[in-house]
């Protein structure tokens, strides 16, 4: 009898949470469509005295179900923590804002004072941010300490809305004598790009309370990085700074190195895959050498750092007694450089703290390295010039714009090949809807000429870069994406030497659905990739024999596709239909 009671208690705890004040339905995979489907949850919320946290991760919640749950939360004044990540899988994007609005309104009505808001892995886009905009601006978030919005597909627009909401929350909370003191901000894999990062940087600078910033994989390059560098200087308690897989270049690296001088509390620096280059790495090394007394981790992997710069970094950590890991993997050290770095760390009795160097890219050839740096410098200049031109256009007439475009074309043309508009290279390096549209009516032809369609991997890479900017709610962008993709793939499949099956294999590798022996790094999968692919498989040029292959892999349970929600479901449906017809 006692055993049965213990078993029942264990089952109850597993179902409803074991933390004090917490009710948990985490990972139960429930499909909660309407009020009836959440009757049990609603009753347990109503009966839970002193409810502080509700975990709904790993379920899928519809509008009616959210409204019923919200009604139950309206009386929970002690409520503090929303763990609501991954709770809209399979839902239409249009369902998410009203669901979030209902939940937010309930928390405001209850007089809740939130400390944690976690909505990661929901892929709700800018509209989803609008769904929490009112909540973020309200007094319910004056006490917010952790905001987690990882992998939500916010885009530039969502980033700007989020920044404005945080700014307003800080303003209103300050007026009440208790300024918003956000400590943890997580927004990786959101395609914030420069404009989104710059807007958020202004909010960060205003708050000045952040202890952790996680913004990996956001397509941010040096203007955005420089803005963030300026902002973090005003957050002296910052302990963790994770900007992995953005593009600093040496300009951003140097700006961030200067900012780090103001951060004596920093413990973890993750600038891996950020292309800080030798100049940026040396600047960071100088900062590390001069300060950062409690540094634990420094990640400068895959940053095109050469041997000399890497040795400067190793010397910089010499007296860092708190250091736990130094990661310099995937750089351009060469065999001798790797040995020199390893020997330097061993001499300082720190060899065990150095990460693997197994993915080193080898020492670059001097001419090739110089050419790459010149090309990137030109691209950086173009980014700045484009911003300046946009501002001037508001005041100047159209003639000036034409002159600027002609100058840009001349600046980027190379003597070794036929002139190509620089914007094509810029777009393929850092894709954005605006850059694609600026290519004009000849964009499909220009991109087609730029892509080597005889190489299946390069063709797959180009497809993913173009489709990453796909916008289902913007016809102009949508048509531009599909026209460009059609142009490339029509040319590819009409080329006798093109290997169609290799293209599909390369695509699956880059999407993270199959592993590559060559250690190819998968991309961040966004809904646009699958929406564009859903278009491609219906075209006459796409071989029907490849449909079954795609369907098999798209049907597998793979976390890489979790963020794509409805786009994945639509693609699976189309593939299944095409397979049935063949």
């Amino acid at each position: 009898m006692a055993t049965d009671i213990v078993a029942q208690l264990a089952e109850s705890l597993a179902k409803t949470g074991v933390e004090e004040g917490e009710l948990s339905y985490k990972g139960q995979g429930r499909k909660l469509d309407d009020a009836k489907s959440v009757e049990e949850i609603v009753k347990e919320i109503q009966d839970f005295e002193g409810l502080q946290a509700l975990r709904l991760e790993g379920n899928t919640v519809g509008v009616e179900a959210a409204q019923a749950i919200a009604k139950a939360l309206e009386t929970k004044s002690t409520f503090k923590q929303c763990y609501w990540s991954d709770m809209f899988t399979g839902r239409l994007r249009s369902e998410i804002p009203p669901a979030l609005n209902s939940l937010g309104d309930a928390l405001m009505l209850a007089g809740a004072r939130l400390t944690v808001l976690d909505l990661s892995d929901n892929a709700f886009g800018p509209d989803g941010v609008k769904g929490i905009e009112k909540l973020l601006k309200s007094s319910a978030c004056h006490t917010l300490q952790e905001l987690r919005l990882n992998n939500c597909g916010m885009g530039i627009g969502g980033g700007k809305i989020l920044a404005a909401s945080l700014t307003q929350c800080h303003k209103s909370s300050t007026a009440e004598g208790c300024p918003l003191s956000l400590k943890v901000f997580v927004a990786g894999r959101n395609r914030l790009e420069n404009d989104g990062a710059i807007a958020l940087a202004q909010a960060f600078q205003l708050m000045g309370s952040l202890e952790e910033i996680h913004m990996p994989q956001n397509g941010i390059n040096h203007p955005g990085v420089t803005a963030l560098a300026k902002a973090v200087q005003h957050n002296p308690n910052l302990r963790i700074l994770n900007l992995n897989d953005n593009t600093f270049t040496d300009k951003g690296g140097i700006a961030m190195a200067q900012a780090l001088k103001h951060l004596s509390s920093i413990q973890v620096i993750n600038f891996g895959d950020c292309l800080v280059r030798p100049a940026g790495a040396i600047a960071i090394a100088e900062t590390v050498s001069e300060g950062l007394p409690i540094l634990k981790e420094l990640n400068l992997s895959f940053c095109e750092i050469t041997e000399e710069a890497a040795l400067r970094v190793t010397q910089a950590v010499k007296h860092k007694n708190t250091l736990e890991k130094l990661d310099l993997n995937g750089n351009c050290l060469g065999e001798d450089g790797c040995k020199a770095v390893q020997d330097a760390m061993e001499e300082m009795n720190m060899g065990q703290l150095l990460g693997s160097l197994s993915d080193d890219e080898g020492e670059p050839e001097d001419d090739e390295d110089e050419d790459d740096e010149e090309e990137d410098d030109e691209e950086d200049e173009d980014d700045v010039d484009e911003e300046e031109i946009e501002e001037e256009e508001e005041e100047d007439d159209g003639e000036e714009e034409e002159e600027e475009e002609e100058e840009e074309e001349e600046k980027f043309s190379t003597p070794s090949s036929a002139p190509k508009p620089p914007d094509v290279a810029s777009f393929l390096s850092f894709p954005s809807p605006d850059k694609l549209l600026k290519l004009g009516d000849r964009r499909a032809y220009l991109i087609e000429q730029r892509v080597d369609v005889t190489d299946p991997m390069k063709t797959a890479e180009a497809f993913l870069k173009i489709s990453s900017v796909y916008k289902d709610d913007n016809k102009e962008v949508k048509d531009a994406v599909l026209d460009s993709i059609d142009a490339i793939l029509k040319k590819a499949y009409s080329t006798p030497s093109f290997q169609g099956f290799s293209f599909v294999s390369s695509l699956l590798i880059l999407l993270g659905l199959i592993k590559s022996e060559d250690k190819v790094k998968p991309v961040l999968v966004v809904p646009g990739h699958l929406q564009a692919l859903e278009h491609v498989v219906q075209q006459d040029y796409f071989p029907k024999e490849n449909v079954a292959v795609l369907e098999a892999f798209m049907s597998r349970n793979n976390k890489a596709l979790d963020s794509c929600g409805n786009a994945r479901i639509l693609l699976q449906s189309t593939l299944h239909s095409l397979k049935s017809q063949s």
Side-chain angles (χ1 to χ4, degrees):
M1 183 70 176
T3 304
D4 292 340
I5 294 173
V6 172
Q8 290 172 14
L9 179 60
E11 183 182 352
S12 177
L13 288 173
K15 182 175 74 172
T16 59
V18 294
E19 296 292 332
E20 183 179 355
E22 178 183 289
L23 192 57
S24 177
Y25 303 92
K26 181 179 178 180
Q28 294 184 13
R30 298 192 187 193
K31 194 170 187 296
L32 308 172
D33 295 324
D34 50 30
K36 184 173 179 56
S37 66
V38 293
E39 284 179 349
E40 177 192 353
I41 295 175
V42 167
K43 187 176 187 310
E44 290 178 337
I45 291 173
Q46 291 172 337
D47 293 344
F48 200 122
E49 293 293 332
L51 180 65
Q52 295 183 30
L54 177 62
R55 307 194 78 108
L56 293 172
E57 311 104 305
N59 299 285
T60 176
V61 183
V63 177
E64 288 185 26
Q67 290 171 343
I69 292 171
K71 188 69 177 174
L73 288 172
E74 288 180 358
T75 60
K76 303 300 176 181
S77 60
T78 58
F79 195 80
K80 295 180 179 180
Q81 300 169 344
C82 307
Y83 295 103
W84 297 345
S85 63
D86 188 23
M87 70 172 196
F88 294 115
T89 301
R91 299 290 171 184
L92 295 175
R93 184 167 289 187
S94 59
E95 292 182 81
I96 301 175
L100 290 173
N101 270 317
S102 297
L103 293 165
D105 288 347
L107 296 177
M108 289 186 282
L109 184 61
R113 291 293 182 265
L114 297 183
T115 57
V116 177
L117 179 58
D118 185 356
L119 288 165
S120 298
D121 300 317
N122 278 312
F124 48 46
D127 289 342
V129 185
K130 291 178 183 177
I132 58 171
E133 182 179 8
K134 187 163 56 170
L135 174 64
L136 287 172
K137 290 179 178 180
S138 75
S139 59
C141 286
H142 286 182
T143 51
L144 195 63
Q145 295 182 12
E146 298 183 20
L147 179 58
R148 300 178 182 271
L149 297 168
N150 199 57
N151 192 30
C152 286
M154 290 190 289
I156 295 172
K160 288 183 175 180
I161 295 169
L162 178 60
S165 300
L166 291 173
T167 300
Q168 179 58 42
C169 184
H170 185 271
K171 181 179 179 180
S172 58
S173 60
T174 300
E176 293 184 7
C178 297
L180 171 65
S181 297
L182 191 68
K183 290 181 170 57
V184 178
F185 180 84
V186 182
R189 304 178 68 178
N190 270 293
R191 298 199 61 79
L192 295 169
E193 301 184 22
N194 285 334
D195 288 347
I198 290 169
L200 285 166
Q202 293 170 349
F204 294 168
Q205 183 169 332
L206 181 66
M207 291 186 291
S209 57
L210 287 164
E211 296 179 8
E212 297 183 23
I213 297 175
H214 303 264
M215 296 175 66
Q217 293 185 321
N218 269 298
I220 306 168
N221 52 30
H222 80 81
V225 171
T226 301
L228 289 170
K230 181 181 178 183
V232 297
Q233 295 180 38
H234 298 269
N235 289 263
N237 295 321
L238 194 66
R239 296 182 296 103
I240 299 175
L241 181 57
N242 176 8
L243 295 174
N244 188 283
D245 202 4
N246 290 290
T247 306
F248 284 32
T249 68
D250 50 3
K251 292 181 181 179
I254 291 169
M256 196 57 75
Q258 293 299 314
L260 289 171
K261 292 181 178 180
H262 301 267
L263 303 176
S264 59
S265 297
I266 199 79
Q267 296 179 25
V268 177
I269 300 171
N270 186 347
F271 296 160
D273 208 4
C274 282
L275 207 69
V276 301
R277 296 252 171 79
I282 289 172
I284 291 170
E286 290 176 356
T287 297
V288 172
S289 179
E290 294 170 1
L292 314 191
I294 56 174
L295 184 66
K296 291 183 177 181
E297 294 183 23
L298 176 59
N299 184 347
L300 294 175
S301 61
F302 298 93
C303 281
E304 290 193 1
I305 298 172
T306 55
E307 177 185 350
E308 179 186 358
L311 287 172
R312 294 281 290 272
V313 174
T314 59
Q315 289 300 317
V317 301
K318 184 174 183 179
H319 298 296
K320 302 301 171 187
N321 298 327
T322 57
L323 191 71
E324 296 175 0
K325 184 176 182 180
L326 172 63
D327 193 345
L328 294 171
N329 197 21
N331 283 300
C332 304
L333 309 183
E335 187 174 343
D336 292 341
C338 286
K339 187 175 186 306
V341 167
Q342 289 167 335
D343 288 347
M345 292 293 286
E346 290 291 348
E347 288 175 9
M348 297 185 294
N349 294 318
M350 301 175 78
Q352 74 280 8
L353 306 182
L354 179 66
S356 170
L357 299 176
S358 60
D359 293 323
D360 187 74
E361 297 288 339
E363 190 174 356
E365 296 180 11
D366 292 339
D367 292 342
E368 182 180 312
D369 191 44
E370 289 173 7
D371 290 343
D372 287 343
E373 289 185 8
E374 289 174 6
E375 182 179 332
D376 285 325
D377 285 342
E378 287 180 341
E379 288 181 2
D380 289 342
E381 290 170 11
D382 184 47
D383 287 336
V384 176
D385 289 345
E386 284 180 1
E387 293 171 8
E388 292 173 350
I389 291 169
E390 286 174 3
E391 292 175 0
E392 291 169 1
E393 282 174 356
E394 295 178 0
E395 301 174 1
D396 300 338
D397 57 24
E399 293 179 3
E400 190 170 342
E401 178 185 356
E402 293 178 5
E403 293 173 1
E404 292 285 355
E405 288 177 353
E406 290 172 1
E407 289 176 9
E408 291 294 313
E409 288 188 12
E410 292 174 3
K411 182 171 74 170
F412 278 84
S413 58
T414 57
S416 61
S417 61
K420 294 187 178 76
D423 291 332
V424 177
S426 177
F427 168 71
L428 291 174
S429 296
F430 303 103
S432 73
D434 186 55
K435 286 182 180 179
L436 180 62
L437 295 179
K438 282 184 177 179
L439 292 177
D441 294 338
R442 298 177 67 244
R443 66 179 68 86
Y445 171 77
L446 295 172
I447 294 174
E448 172 205 316
Q449 295 299 306
R450 188 81 178 186
V451 177
D452 180 8
V453 297
T454 63
D455 186 323
M457 180 59 78
K458 290 181 179 178
T459 305
E461 289 173 346
F463 167 82
L464 293 174
K465 287 178 179 179
I466 298 167
S467 60
S468 69
V469 305
Y470 181 100
K471 287 183 175 293
D472 199 36
D473 57 353
N474 186 321
K475 188 177 187 302
E476 186 180 12
V477 174
K478 176 181 177 179
D479 290 346
V481 168
L482 297 182
D483 288 347
S484 301
I485 286 171
D486 283 341
I488 291 173
L489 295 184
K490 281 180 183 177
K491 182 178 180 181
Y493 278 109
S494 64
T495 303
S497 60
F498 183 70
Q499 299 176 345
F501 185 75
S502 295
F503 165 73
V504 173
S505 298
S506 299
L507 201 57
L508 293 171
I509 288 170
L510 291 169
L511 290 172
L513 302 181
I514 58 177
K515 291 183 178 180
S516 168
E517 295 179 358
D518 299 325
K519 297 182 179 179
V520 175
K521 184 177 180 180
V523 302
L524 163 64
V525 184
V526 296
H529 291 146
L530 304 192
Q531 290 168 316
L533 187 56
E534 194 261 342
H535 163 84
V536 166
V537 298
Q538 298 179 75
Q539 305 310 304
D540 292 338
Y541 59 73
F542 189 79
K544 301 309 176 194
E545 59 266 26
N546 289 339
V547 168
V549 177
L550 283 174
E551 188 201 23
F553 281 96
M554 290 297 164
S555 300
R556 293 181 178 180
N557 185 19
N558 193 299
K559 290 184 178 180
L561 305 180
D562 285 352
S563 64
C564 296
N566 198 50
R568 179 184 186 179
I569 294 171
L570 183 59
L571 175 58
Q572 288 174 331
S573 175
T574 300
L575 289 169
H576 180 73
S577 177
L578 290 170
K579 182 182 175 184
S580 300
Q581 295 170 16
S582 60

